[in-house]
Amino acid sequence: MFFEARRPFAVSTLALIGALLVSACTGAAQPGASTAASAQGMSVAGGTVTIPIGADPTLNPWSPNAFVESLFINRAIFEGLTKPGKDLAPAPDLAESWTTAADGLSWTFKLRSGVKWSDGTPFSADDVGFTFNDVVLKPDLGAQNRASYAAVKSVTVVDPNTVRFDLSRKFAALPSFLAYNAGILPKHVLSANPLTTTSFNKGVPVSTGPFKVEKYTSGQSVSLVRNDYYFGPKPYLEKVVFTVVPDPNTQIAQALAGDITIMILDNKAAVDRVKTANGLAVVSRPLVQYYWLALNQTDPRFTDVRVRQAFVYAIDRQAIIKSVEFGYGSIANSPITPALAAYYDPSLASKYPFDQAKAKDLLAQAGWTPGADGVLQKNGQPFKFTMDVGQRGVLEPVNALIQQDLKKVGVIADLNTMEWNSYIQKDVVRRDYTATVNWWTYPSDPDVFPYYHSSAAGKGFNIPGYQDQKLDDLLVQGQAASDLDSRKAVYKQLQAYTSETLPYLFLWYPQEIDVVSTSLKGVPELGLRDAMHYLGEWWLAKK
Amino acid sequence: MIVFASALTFFFVNLAPGGPASIMRFDVSPEQREALIKLMGLDRPVPERYLEWLAGAVRGDLGTSLLTNEPVAARIADRLPNTLTLAGSALIISIVLGIPIGVVQAMRRGKLTDHLLSLVTAVGLSVPVFWLGIILILVFGVTLHVLPSAGVTSASSDTFADRLAHLILPAVALATTILPTVVRFTRSSTIEVLHEDYIRTATSKGLSPRTVTTRHALRNALIPVVSAVGALVPRLLGGTVVTEAVFGWPGMGRLALEAAQGRDYPLVTGLTVIVAAIAVLASIVVDVAYTRIDPRLRLS
């Protein structure tokens, strides 16, 4: 046995050397994936879709340990009162319709009747009351996303098919927020231990969506099968398998090998390689996400709006989009992203062209003049500060580009790269930072109150700690305006005002790149995580 | 020794900057953070928490994972067999390939074969595992389509052959972290032994070179190699961290990475204890192996 094994391994060692040569010369050859199925037209039932996720998910949308890898499955199996519509406006899910009271201080949701949990138990308004009153609104549980419901006092079960959200202040965005990771939990399963029941979170949860969990294998995969008790039409797919593949490059290799049906391409550098692969298509999707540079407002240098504007002029944002996003993104000048098409104001896109002369000019007006070494100075002090860089995604190359751009206008930014967890503690929890780049992803609604209101400065989500009475007023008006037209008017003003005052320095709106097998049909044109709400409509063309 | 390792780890991970992943995220409000710290008991002093952990550990209870609320012992028990399979296979590959290569090099010292094999092992030593792993996947999984690229088994079939196929690439990748060292140790110790007087005596007795090498030289040359292999076990376990991440292998290495990144204090401590125990066990195995190879060390 000892020596028998030797030969094959020696062969594979030789093959390994060959492999290095092959990859060096050609950058890997064509995959063996079969050609696209040409079948069009009628949807067909059956088949398995495979989707990679980066780590073991936590199957409970309100668990504080449900990180980004949990979103795919949680959005597919748990249903909220609403879900993001295909236009991102809130659409019916477990609720059929909703209305706000004349005073705007409550919302009433009419629930769908005849809904059952995947274990056959009937779903009712009690489950909604439980999810909010006993989980989300309970301060000592620390439920995820709890901060989004600060305006909700309690949820009243009016009758088995009606619930009312009672508010402490007007909250027009509530139906949109309920579409965002706000799945309803089964009271009959979780009443003892809503957020830490392992057999639920890491096993086979009870849910209401078109699919339910069949098997959870830690470190390997989670498989979904059809939920026979689902109230809607029977889903086409027979099975959906989420494989746990932590390395993004391995995910790409698996897609090239034909082992994956659809995935988000995190490493955009691979986009050209994937485009040439047989049987795979590449699509880009808008996201409700924007990158920003926060300048801590406790630093007096950054309270001068001319300095903030000068920085935006000085940074070549198009170059950042080109080099780190491979063109998949657009310049941002406000917190409202193009994905929110009903609200987004495209006229602001060209507000700050890349113009370093203008940047120098504005900095000079603010009292910053070049010293002998070219570095800007004011009162004998050089313009020098540290930017903390969290090690995640594209943040490292982006910071390097910003550093170079600022240097050209005489501002010295030192980069302090940190492991992600330590970075969050320093910059977010302690607010011990001067400048840092990051991003916000938020529910599909222009209500950005938590990230901008002065009440959140220094401790909540207002990272720069910017405080401005006029902005506060706009944010509150937006929450109070309940009809679409008046909301549009408020948020148009808010976009104009934030692009002028720059509470955060807006960088760009990223797009998601999805790699999709050409045989997969019926996926709506949404970011993949949002498209999970429509898993019941996906289908596979026969090859 | 193991208790010492656990205390050191417990205090160090608790002193490291950051905190459990559930509170170190962007979208957690200060009041949620406070509630969670209280729920996890992290508002209590570290020595108090350590003593509590130790009291449980001696009874076999390694605490509860902060990331999943599962018992740490269960999480490790779930992953340990996979890591032992992977690391064991890599160790076997390294020994089965490494010792013969080292002996061949020693016998052909200074010749072309020696130089070529030295070059190959030097490359092997300097290639990072994550890169080699991706190359292996691209070649054997994507281009040639002969081996699965990741995971421990296919979703559809779970047979022995399927598991073996999934094991090959990660085991080969992991073996490269120690194979070159095994080769070098074997080569140098064999060269040393070949200069000994008793080898010259054996050769002059008229024994065939084959008998001299296998019966006289190799046996003595292996003694330092065995101790080197024992010392390589911790490095091998360290290598599983990267290898398991690249190949989606559900083992302890990946668990350790997740635990460290997510500051899962009980899980990090539990893993350290287990790895320390394995390292201690490996050194015991090496000591036993010594007595088998070298009769002088045998207790009468």
Side-chain angles (χ1 to χ4, degrees):
Chain A
M1 187 63 212
F2 214 58
F3 282 94
E4 274 168 12
R6 186 174 160 186
R7 198 166 247 279
F9 282 119
V11 169
S12 70
T13 312
L14 282 177
L16 188 154
I17 299 158
L20 304 186
L21 296 172
V22 169
S23 68
C25 301
T26 65
Q30 288 295 313
S34 59
T35 46
S38 54
Q40 289 291 332
M42 291 300 285
S43 319
V44 288
T48 299
V49 158
T50 306
I51 305 171
I53 50 178
D56 274 347
T58 298
L59 306 180
N60 185 327
W62 303 100
S63 162
N65 280 315
F67 303 104
V68 65
E69 64 270 4
S70 310
L71 296 178
F72 285 111
I73 305 180
N74 284 342
R75 290 180 182 182
I77 63 174
F78 295 108
E79 294 180 297
L81 293 180
T82 59
K83 65 180 175 185
K86 289 175 186 171
D87 58 354
L88 289 180
D93 211 6
L94 288 172
E96 279 176 337
S97 60
W98 47 91
T99 50
T100 182
D103 63 2
L105 290 176
S106 71
W107 279 93
T108 302
F109 292 82
K110 204 89 198 138
L111 304 182
R112 204 182 282 274
S113 55
V115 175
K116 281 185 175 165
W117 291 99
S118 54
D119 62 357
T121 310
F123 158 84
S124 86
D126 280 337
D127 294 308
V128 182
F130 165 74
T131 301
F132 284 90
N133 296 332
D134 298 328
V135 184
V136 183
L137 301 177
K138 269 254 170 84
D140 52 336
L141 290 184
Q144 181 174 175
N145 258 329
R146 168 185 156 70
S148 297
Y149 299 93
V152 178
K153 281 196 297 194
S154 66
V155 173
T156 306
V157 175
V158 179
D159 65 50
N161 281 314
T162 314
V163 289
R164 190 181 67 236
F165 283 67
D166 296 312
L167 309 175
S168 56
R169 54 179 156 83
K170 292 179 182 177
F171 186 20
L174 180 65
S176 299
F177 276 64
L178 290 173
Y180 186 73
N181 302 328
I184 302 300
L185 299 176
K187 183 181 180 181
H188 68 285
V189 179
L190 293 179
S191 55
N193 202 351
L195 294 184
T196 52
T197 300
T198 303
S199 58
F200 191 93
N201 292 1
K202 297 279 173 183
V204 180
V206 170
S207 51
T208 57
F211 289 89
K212 64 176 181 182
V213 173
E214 177 196 40
K215 195 168 172 230
Y216 187 126
T217 315
S218 170
Q220 297 181 51
S221 64
V222 179
S223 57
L224 308 185
V225 289
R226 291 173 189 145
N227 168 15
D228 294 332
Y229 291 103
Y230 179 56
F231 62 80
K234 187 176 161 184
Y236 298 110
L237 301 174
E238 197 176 312
K239 205 165 176 173
V240 182
V241 178
F242 296 86
T243 53
V244 182
V245 184
D247 189 301
N249 292 317
T250 309
Q251 290 187 2
I252 295 168
Q254 288 205 310
L256 294 174
D259 295 337
I260 277 168
T261 323
I262 186 166
M263 63 177 266
I264 297 174
L265 189 67
D266 281 325
N267 179 2
K268 288 177 179 159
V271 67
D272 287 335
R273 175 69 189 85
V274 177
K275 269 183 184 165
T276 59
N278 284 328
L280 293 178
V282 171
V283 293
S284 67
R285 301 286 186 228
L287 290 175
V288 185
Q289 189 183 81
Y290 61 102
Y291 279 82
W292 40 258
L293 166 59
L295 300 173
N296 198 327
Q297 295 298 299
T298 58
D299 186 321
R301 293 174 292 185
F302 299 133
T303 54
D304 189 326
V305 69
R306 289 169 298 191
V307 171
R308 299 198 297 274
Q309 291 174 339
F311 276 29
V312 178
Y313 279 117
I315 299 169
D316 190 349
R317 294 177 290 169
Q318 203 61 57
I320 293 178
I321 294 169
K322 201 174 159 205
S323 68
V324 308
E325 296 280 14
F326 293 83
Y328 291 90
S330 57
I331 285 178
N333 281 316
S334 90
I336 313 295
T337 77
L340 300 175
Y343 300 95
Y344 174 67
D345 180 358
S347 71
L348 295 171
S350 50
K351 188 170 168 79
Y352 295 99
F354 174 53
D355 186 345
Q356 294 202 321
K358 179 112 184 181
K360 285 181 193 160
D361 199 37
L362 280 164
L363 285 163
Q365 287 174 34
W368 293 96
T369 47
D373 54 357
V375 176
L376 296 183
Q377 304 198 337
K378 188 173 171 179
N379 306 326
Q381 294 293 315
F383 205 150
K384 201 174 162 188
F385 59 92
T386 301
M387 292 209 289
D388 286 342
V389 186
Q391 282 179 314
R392 187 158 286 196
V394 297
L395 294 178
E396 285 176 82
V398 168
N399 274 280
L401 290 171
I402 291 175
Q403 180 188 39
Q404 288 168 21
D405 284 339
L406 291 179
K407 193 171 178 214
K408 286 181 200 147
V409 296
V411 175
I412 303 300
D414 294 323
L415 301 186
N416 171 33
T417 305
M418 302 174 74
E419 180 257 351
W420 183 254
N421 191 302
S422 319
Y423 162 81
I424 297 281
Q425 186 182 45
K426 180 173 184 283
D427 286 39
V428 181
V429 180
R430 296 208 189 116
R431 295 296 152 94
D432 171 20
Y433 80 98
T434 308
T436 193
V437 176
N438 224 298
W439 71 88
W440 281 124
T441 305
Y442 57 98
S444 305
D445 192 274
D447 182 355
V448 290
F449 182 102
Y451 314 95
Y452 288 85
H453 195 266
S454 60
S455 62
K459 50 187 200 298
F461 302 155
N462 184 342
I463 301 291
Y466 181 80
Q467 304 184 47
D468 181 330
Q469 188 56 50
K470 187 174 174 200
L471 179 56
D472 283 356
D473 290 345
L474 282 170
L475 291 163
V476 172
Q477 279 174 39
Q479 292 196 320
S482 53
D483 67 287
L484 187 62
D485 285 336
S486 51
R487 293 194 87 203
K488 276 185 183 170
V490 175
Y491 288 113
K492 189 160 194 245
Q493 280 184 61
L494 181 125
Q495 290 174 70
Y497 191 66
T498 50
S499 70
E500 186 62 34
T501 53
L502 300 173
Y504 295 74
L505 310 197
F506 303 105
L507 298 175
W508 77 97
Y509 304 117
Q511 282 168 9
E512 175 181 292
I513 302 180
D514 294 344
V515 176
V516 194
S517 158
T518 47
S519 58
L520 181 64
K521 314 284 177 187
V523 183
E525 290 182 17
L526 295 169
L528 185 52
R529 295 186 183 95
D530 279 336
M532 297 312 296
H533 289 286
Y534 295 90
L535 194 56
E537 297 176 12
W538 297 17
W539 57 280
L540 282 166
K542 290 268 187 282
K543 288 185 180 170
Chain B
M1 157 110 183
I2 294 173
V3 172
F4 177 70
S6 77
L8 210 63
T9 313
F10 197 91
F11 284 92
F12 270 114
V13 292
N14 274 283
L15 290 175
S22 59
I23 57 171
M24 290 307 154
R25 44 192 292 175
F26 241 94
D27 51 358
V28 167
S29 69
E31 51 127 358
Q32 271 167 284
R33 212 167 265 134
E34 223 164 88
L36 292 170
I37 285 174
K38 220 168 156 188
L39 273 180
M40 290 185 280
L42 298 180
D43 48 348
R44 295 181 301 134
V46 179
E48 189 186 318
R49 282 189 277 136
Y50 176 68
L51 289 178
E52 195 184 283
W53 180 87
L54 192 63
V58 293
R59 285 178 278 119
D61 173 11
L62 295 176
T64 305
S65 161
L66 299 180
L67 283 166
T68 67
N69 297 300
E70 291 166 288
V72 167
R75 291 202 76 187
I76 296 176
D78 190 34
R79 303 292 184 93
L80 187 61
N82 290 330
T83 293
L84 291 182
T85 309
L86 177 59
S89 311
L91 193 63
I92 291 171
I93 294 173
S94 305
I95 293 171
V96 169
L97 281 181
I99 293 176
I101 293 176
V103 171
V104 166
Q105 277 191 268
M107 312 269 298
R108 299 262 182 280
R109 188 181 174 200
K111 305 225 172 81
L112 183 65
T113 323
D114 183 25
H115 290 313
L116 267 181
L117 288 170
S118 287
L119 182 72
V120 173
T121 52
V123 170
L125 199 62
S126 48
V127 166
V129 179
F130 67 88
W131 186 80
L132 177 64
I134 286 294
I135 295 298
L136 288 176
I137 291 172
L138 283 177
V139 173
F140 294 98
V142 178
T143 309
L144 302 177
H145 224 83
V146 287
L147 287 171
S149 46
V152 68
T153 146
S154 307
S156 46
S157 69
D158 186 1
T159 59
F160 178 73
D162 182 51
R163 284 185 175 250
L164 197 62
H166 279 83
L167 178 61
I168 293 174
L169 294 184
V172 168
L174 181 58
T176 62
T177 59
I178 62 162
L179 176 65
T181 316
V182 174
V183 170
R184 286 177 175 202
F185 258 94
T186 312
R187 178 181 180 271
S188 60
S189 88
T190 309
I191 287 171
E192 212 169 282
V193 168
L194 286 176
H195 282 99
E196 295 286 341
D197 291 342
Y198 58 83
I199 298 296
R200 210 174 312 142
T201 311
T203 315
S204 55
K205 266 199 306 192
L207 293 176
S208 72
R210 184 189 200 108
T211 315
V212 172
T213 315
T214 51
R215 289 203 55 87
H216 295 261
L218 190 56
R219 194 151 188 173
N220 286 296
L222 276 184
I223 296 169
V225 175
V226 168
S227 72
V229 168
L232 287 172
V233 167
R235 197 205 287 184
L236 196 62
L237 291 174
T240 60
V241 175
V242 177
T243 312
E244 291 180 356
V246 171
F247 291 95
W249 189 264
M252 283 205 314
R254 238 170 82 193
L255 194 63
L257 190 66
E258 284 167 24
Q261 284 172 344
R263 305 288 192 276
D264 192 335
Y265 304 133
L267 186 54
V268 172
T269 313
L271 283 164
T272 312
V273 167
I274 299 297
V275 171
I278 293 174
V280 169
L281 200 68
S283 68
I284 294 172
V285 169
V286 165
D287 286 347
V288 172
Y290 268 156
T291 63
R292 290 243 149 248
I293 298 170
D294 189 348
R296 283 170 302 179
L297 293 175
R298 251 174 241 168
L299 298 172
S300 49

